[in-house]
Amino acid sequence: MKRKIYFGDRLFTIICHVLLALFALICLFPFLLVISASFTDEYTLLWEGYKLFPSKLSTSAYQLVMQTSQLGSGYLVTIFITVAGTAASLLVTSMMSYALSVKKLKIRNKVAFFVYFTMLFSGGMVANYLMVVKYLHLKDNLLVYILPALVSPWNMMLLRNFFATIPESLAESAKIDGANDMTILMKIVLPIAKPGLVTIGLFYALSYWNEWFKAMMYMDKENLITLQYLIMKILRNINFANTVAGSVGVSVNVPTYTSRMATLVVTIGPIVFLYPFLQKYFVKGLTVGGVKG
Amino acid sequence: MLQKRSKWMALALAAAMCAGTLTGCGNDDAGQGNSSAPESQSSENSVGGQSSAEESSKGGAEQAGAETPDPVTLKVLMTGDKPNDWDAVLDEFYNRTRDTLNITFDWTWVPSADYKDKLNVKMTAGEEYDLVFDAPWMHLRTLSQDGIYADLSPYLNNDDYPGLKLAFPEDVMKYNKYSDINCALPLFWCYGGQNLVMYRQDWAKEWNIGTDGQINSHDELKEYLEAVLANKPGVTPIALKNNRGFYHLFDAVTVELQDDHIYQGTLGKDIFFAYKLNDEETEVVATALPGDPAEYWEPFGGVDFWKQKVETSREWNKYCETDSLNQADPGALFQIGKAGAYIDTIDAVPKYNSLLRNNAPEAELGVYIHEEAARNMEKGVYTASVVASNCLCVPASSDKIDRTMAFLNWMFESQENHDLFEYGIEGVHWEAVGDSQYKLPDGVETTTNYNPLGYNLSWNPNYYRFSADYTEYALPYAEFSADITNYNTDSRITGFSFKSDSVTTEITQCGAILGEVLAPLNHGILDEPYQVFQDTTAQLRENDV
């Protein structure tokens, strides 16, 4: 009897594993198609469609993508703003969140509302542009990626709620031992709030990594644009060149489809390897601030 | 004690933060002070734009004529990708003009998809540029209303600027006014696009269709599509684009109706209508929408132009892909031989001619111009559209208008100067073929070669060169469309463009409803197609949309 249950359990586990493996394969399949499509030529792709093993191999799409000289600077800019931006954002956000979670601070609700207000209303594109370009003079400046995004109201609220779950008695006992607020934050609160910080950090890192709008709006110098905007630029320009070629009486043979795939493969690089290691924090992130204790 | 100390620390920190913020504010103020200067200057310039332009136009002409002027850098905001070898072209320009114009450029390229937004914020924020691209379908109307763009009329029709006088004659400029001023230099090379069907002439020859494979009528085209269906399994007879369907293939021949002052119009992209003018062509006497009851169509000869169009589309639907509504790139099917025909305009001929030959050396591109009057190159039949879709503008805030115009004058002064920007350096990026054509030098890859500009900087019918990839049959049609003398420019509707600002909501509502049925009807997918049109139009009229 026992053996039967044991066998049933095992069978169930095996079926689950097989199903999950199949599901993983199904998820992986489009990506494999993208890679194989990027290594063929335009004619073969159009004639045969997307196949795992195209009949003709070609690297012409990669040659086209690599001829974009800003690929290196795009990577550098994106990595820089992701690392520096995440560190700066975490520092400032945690300081602000801590201040707002300390009940002693009388104006905390007013400040919190001030932050919350920006989640509901924004000045719009032109006002933002004027502010950044005319008054902050951040056009063609790498700081424009980081400064306006230093504190995300949503992340700040999340972290504040997380701090609020830390027992007040910890801070009180530290104060009795002579610690000031800065020491309490750095030595006691932040180490306890590590899961929250990692989650928020991940959110920040992703938003910095995916930044393209500010590059589009505020950067005229091509060596200061981010990787994501560069991808958009390459693809949009290839599409446009193709459309224009058809409407201006010019014969241009641009490998539209294969170059799209090659661009994807070239730029997806580091982040795709990072995801499997970080995904558990995404799950945790969903519960940050939502569960007591 | 400790609490006190922490209070003091907090106070100090708060003070530091406040100080930081205030310092920021201080800088902001300073910034505001600085930046308000050009803004006020800009508004002054825009009000008195003309007089300042008049004064400077003299200066510009003098500078262009005599000694080397002071060096100047012009800031240009342009749509599109930076062309390959752009720096080499600029260097060549500097070499040629160092002693005469002495201009250098600070050129900003913005991808076309982002250009509209970026232009708007940059112009609204008063950023200083000396030359920008704008278009009636972008912000040209609103920005010209706001006085953002300078009046360029003092430079036009001015003997000191012969290049501009030649490229932008009064006949053209009078149709391209915005806010009643000539603030936009029109960029175009032809006066009317020729709609056509491209097909495989080698197949048509093989099946003895048309005159030596040349299709000359809808019947012959139908015969060809039937033959593709029968002889080429797996090949779609005709590939349609999702948002176009059969496009103008079955349009009513309104050319003949123009004598009765009957025309077709479009509002937005989905609202088509017919209108009739009085004999003097001074006012509209009747309008009708597709699917309107017979009484609406009485002034138009009693026949709804769109009835035959949608019914023929339904009949021909058997020649299309089953999911043609999702086909974004039908040209790709045609170029690799998976489609027997493809609908486009004359400009697309060089591209598909060269692609077809690359993919299948035996392929021969056939072109069927389906409008009879156009096929017969009848002079004066078609009304020219002299309103350009793309333009160059000079912001009124620029203090270098004269130098900018001197540059434009130089570019439009001669074929040689114009070719430098439009096609690149001769011998390196392109080679002349005869007087009016060009080709790429042997061994040059199109993906790394200079990308011909034009629509965004230099298009002009006087200097346009046709690609050597035009087929022998198609080239005369392309040349025909670039000559304004072949078109009727006396019509009252020449240069007319409807200002839709006051009825934007109605156009959006109407377009949303019509847009839902228009694509399936254009592809011939719906049964009882005319009934669908009738029901939709009745619904619109009932709801007073």
Side-chain angles (χ1 to χ4, degrees):
Chain A
M1 189 68 184
K2 262 187 180 176
R3 191 180 162 79
K4 215 176 183 182
I5 294 167
Y6 175 66
F7 178 74
D9 272 358
R10 221 175 132 168
L11 189 71
F12 179 75
T13 316
I14 289 172
I15 291 174
C16 281
H17 274 94
V18 168
L19 283 178
L20 286 175
L22 267 177
F23 182 70
L25 270 181
I26 291 170
C27 292
L28 203 62
F29 188 67
F31 189 65
L32 292 176
L33 278 185
V34 165
I35 295 178
S36 74
S38 70
F39 279 105
T40 187
D41 68 4
E42 192 78 355
Y43 179 79
T44 314
L45 183 67
L46 287 173
W47 184 257
E48 297 177 352
Y50 292 87
K51 280 168 76 178
L52 270 188
F53 302 101
S55 64
K56 194 177 166 195
L57 293 177
S58 161
T59 54
S60 58
Y62 284 93
Q63 285 166 12
L64 182 72
V65 173
M66 293 299 183
Q67 98 190 13
T68 308
S69 53
Q70 298 122 30
L71 208 60
S73 68
Y75 256 113
L76 280 179
V77 168
T78 299
I79 290 171
F80 170 75
I81 65 163
T82 306
V83 174
T86 307
S89 288
L90 273 179
L91 184 71
V92 178
T93 308
S94 55
M95 282 164 73
M96 190 162 184
S97 301
Y98 176 67
L100 293 184
S101 70
V102 175
K103 294 200 172 76
K104 223 168 52 184
L105 188 69
K106 280 184 184 158
I107 57 163
R108 70 195 178 103
N109 284 335
K110 293 186 181 76
V111 175
F113 176 76
F114 189 67
V115 176
Y116 175 64
F117 187 80
T118 63
M119 290 170 78
L120 300 177
F121 303 101
S122 92
M125 199 161 64
V126 175
N128 273 337
Y129 188 85
L130 279 172
M131 184 71 192
V132 170
V133 174
K134 285 263 173 187
Y135 302 120
L136 298 176
H137 302 289
L138 289 178
K139 199 181 154 205
D140 286 330
N141 187 331
L142 277 182
L143 281 178
V144 79
Y145 292 122
I146 297 172
L147 278 186
L150 210 50
V151 176
S152 144
W154 171 254
N155 289 347
M156 200 278 290
M157 295 287 178
L158 271 185
L159 204 60
R160 191 190 67 164
N161 289 352
F162 196 87
F163 286 163
T165 62
I166 297 171
E168 246 176 282
S169 50
L170 273 176
E172 275 169 14
S173 50
K175 264 183 193 165
I176 292 167
D177 286 348
N180 60 23
D181 279 321
M182 207 61 190
T183 318
I184 295 171
L185 173 68
M186 293 297 175
K187 296 265 171 71
I188 296 172
V189 177
L190 289 188
I192 295 175
K194 229 182 230 166
L197 286 177
V198 171
T199 311
I200 303 291
L202 201 62
F203 287 160
Y204 273 125
L206 274 180
S207 67
Y208 281 117
W209 180 267
N210 289 329
E211 182 58 60
W212 64 270
F213 186 75
K214 293 194 189 84
M216 190 263 276
M217 290 306 287
Y218 306 121
M219 292 300 176
D220 284 346
K221 286 187 183 155
E222 287 169 341
N223 58 346
L224 293 180
I225 64 174
T226 59
L227 187 66
Q228 310 303 335
Y229 185 56
L230 186 66
I231 305 169
M232 284 175 64
K233 224 175 107 162
I234 295 173
L235 293 182
R236 283 175 171 183
N237 283 327
I238 288 174
N239 287 345
F240 190 67
N242 223 8
T243 321
V244 166
S247 62
V248 299
V250 182
S251 46
V252 176
N253 189 4
V254 188
T256 320
Y257 293 93
T258 48
S259 56
R260 254 182 229 173
M261 303 303 147
T263 315
L264 189 67
V265 174
V266 167
T267 51
I268 208 169
I271 208 79
V272 80
F273 294 109
L274 207 63
Y275 262 89
F277 302 105
L278 295 180
Q279 63 175 350
K280 65 176 178 180
Y281 292 109
F282 276 105
V283 181
K284 260 189 192 162
L286 295 176
T287 59
V288 166
V291 182
K292 284 255 173 198
Chain B
M1 183 68 187
L2 277 173
Q3 255 185 341
K4 260 190 179 173
R5 219 174 79 183
S6 68
K7 264 185 189 168
W8 281 112
M9 283 289 285
L11 185 67
L13 200 64
M17 281 173 74
C18 283
T21 321
L22 286 174
T23 318
C25 287
N27 282 342
D28 285 357
D29 286 344
Q32 195 171 11
N34 286 338
S35 59
S36 65
E39 268 179 355
S40 59
Q41 188 186 339
S42 115
S43 60
E44 265 172 37
N45 272 355
S46 64
V47 174
Q50 186 163 344
S51 60
S52 80
E54 269 166 6
E55 281 164 24
S56 56
S57 74
K58 270 187 174 176
E62 279 165 17
Q63 275 177 333
E67 292 166 13
T68 305
D70 295 335
V72 70
T73 299
L74 299 181
K75 279 190 79 180
V76 184
L77 186 66
M78 189 64 44
T79 179
D81 194 17
K82 184 180 168 184
N84 300 318
D85 270 356
W86 172 246
D87 294 331
V89 168
L90 281 189
D91 285 343
E92 176 69 21
F93 167 75
Y94 298 149
N95 286 340
R96 287 194 202 174
T97 60
R98 191 161 289 129
D99 299 333
T100 50
L101 295 176
N102 208 7
I103 287 171
T104 50
F105 287 111
D106 174 3
W107 209 289
T108 306
W109 296 93
V110 180
S112 55
D114 305 327
Y115 188 79
K116 199 174 168 185
D117 287 339
K118 212 160 174 174
L119 174 74
N120 191 29
V121 289
K122 277 176 181 287
M123 290 296 110
T124 315
E127 257 187 70
E128 283 186 50
Y129 281 94
D130 302 304
L131 183 66
V132 301
F133 171 87
D134 202 347
W137 47 275
M138 280 192 185
H139 304 294
L140 185 50
R141 288 181 209 285
T142 48
L143 292 180
S144 63
Q145 266 170 17
D146 296 344
I148 300 284
Y149 295 136
D151 182 6
L152 304 177
S153 30
Y155 301 94
L156 304 167
N157 205 15
N158 179 339
D159 288 332
D160 291 332
Y161 293 87
L164 297 178
K165 189 175 180 180
L166 187 71
F168 306 105
E170 219 175 332
D171 284 350
V172 170
M173 294 310 293
K174 70 181 176 192
Y175 298 122
N176 287 282
K177 285 188 173 180
Y178 295 90
S179 304
D180 294 327
I181 56 167
N182 276 129
C183 58
L185 299 178
L187 302 169
F188 63 96
W189 70 268
C190 70
Y191 294 89
Q194 305 266 17
N195 299 306
L196 48 81
V197 178
M198 283 183 257
Y199 65 98
R200 292 288 295 267
Q201 195 160 351
D202 50 325
W203 292 355
K205 263 184 204 168
E206 191 186 322
W207 302 323
N208 287 323
I209 296 167
T211 318
D212 196 25
Q214 177 58 52
I215 290 174
N216 282 312
S217 69
H218 274 47
D219 288 341
E220 286 175 358
L221 179 63
K222 196 173 176 185
E223 193 187 339
Y224 168 80
L225 298 180
E226 285 287 351
V228 175
L229 211 54
N231 300 317
K232 297 275 178 190
V235 175
T236 306
I238 187 163
L240 305 183
K241 193 171 161 71
N242 47 12
N243 58 354
R244 283 185 173 178
F246 283 101
Y247 206 36
H248 295 297
L249 187 59
F250 307 124
D251 274 7
V253 189
T254 47
V255 166
E256 293 155 13
L257 300 170
Q258 281 177 18
D259 293 340
D260 295 330
H261 314 290
I262 291 173
Y263 300 95
Q264 289 182 44
T266 321
L267 285 176
K269 64 180 177 58
D270 292 320
I271 310 168
F272 294 86
F273 61 98
Y275 61 99
K276 185 179 166 114
L277 304 177
N278 60 7
D279 289 348
E280 295 77 35
E281 297 209 330
T282 50
E283 61 179 279
V284 178
V285 291
T287 56
L289 284 169
D292 261 336
E295 64 259 28
Y296 282 91
W297 283 98
E298 261 167 33
F300 301 91
V303 185
D304 185 342
F305 299 156
W306 282 271
K307 186 171 189 292
Q308 192 206 344
K309 177 173 169 140
V310 291
E311 285 176 350
T312 320
S313 299
R314 178 75 191 118
E315 191 193 326
W316 285 45
N317 177 262
K318 60 184 171 186
Y319 304 126
C320 320
E321 289 175 280
T322 43
D323 59 345
S324 59
L325 267 178
N326 292 321
Q327 181 55 266
D329 193 0
L333 289 183
F334 179 66
Q335 79 187 43
I336 59 163
K338 273 194 169 180
Y342 163 58
I343 300 170
D344 212 319
T345 51
I346 190 107
D347 329 356
V349 170
K351 176 184 169 187
Y352 288 101
N353 191 24
S354 114
L355 285 173
L356 259 187
R357 270 181 300 160
N358 277 351
N359 294 333
E362 78 286 356
E364 204 180 318
L365 181 74
V367 168
Y368 166 48
I369 311 259
H370 52 78
E371 290 162 80
E372 197 179 349
R375 190 164 62 247
N376 298 333
M377 292 199 220
E378 290 178 27
K379 279 198 165 201
V381 171
Y382 288 97
T383 303
S385 161
V386 191
V387 182
S389 300
N390 306 299
C391 301
L392 285 178
C393 300
V394 179
S397 58
S398 165
D399 54 0
K400 301 162 200 153
I401 299 181
D402 52 338
R403 303 295 293 271
T404 308
M405 297 312 281
F407 158 67
L408 292 173
N409 178 60
W410 178 88
M411 187 167 69
F412 290 109
E413 204 168 32
S414 72
Q415 180 80 48
E416 193 190 357
N417 296 353
H418 174 265
D419 287 346
L420 176 65
F421 279 95
E422 188 148 324
Y423 307 105
I425 302 166
E426 189 172 3
V428 179
H429 300 122
W430 65 281
E431 284 171 4
V433 179
D435 288 338
S436 64
Q437 282 188 278
Y438 82 99
K439 73 177 184 78
L440 300 188
D442 294 334
V444 164
E445 283 286 327
T446 52
T447 48
T448 51
N449 196 32
Y450 184 75
N451 320 78
L453 290 174
Y455 78 95
N456 51 0
L457 180 69
S458 55
W459 261 359
N460 195 272
N462 294 341
Y463 300 120
Y464 188 74
R465 282 182 183 275
F466 297 93
S467 165
D469 284 326
Y470 269 105
T471 62
E472 206 178 312
Y473 178 82
L475 182 63
Y477 290 104
E479 287 172 339
F480 182 88
S481 60
D483 184 354
I484 196 165
T485 59
N486 293 324
Y487 288 83
N488 169 17
T489 51
D490 295 334
S491 168
R492 301 285 296 199
I493 64 163
T494 302
F496 173 77
S497 66
F498 180 65
K499 281 181 190 163
S500 59
D501 305 2
S502 56
V503 285
T504 310
T505 316
E506 286 81 356
I507 290 177
T508 312
Q509 285 175 330
C510 222
I513 294 170
L514 280 172
E516 274 182 28
V517 295
L518 210 62
L521 286 174
N522 279 338
H523 285 253
I525 287 167
L526 302 177
D527 285 326
E528 303 285 341
Y530 191 58
Q531 187 63 45
V532 175
F533 244 150
Q534 285 178 314
D535 293 346
T536 314
T537 308
Q539 186 195 340
L540 287 175
R541 292 221 180 255
E542 269 172 32
N543 292 305
D544 285 335
V545 177

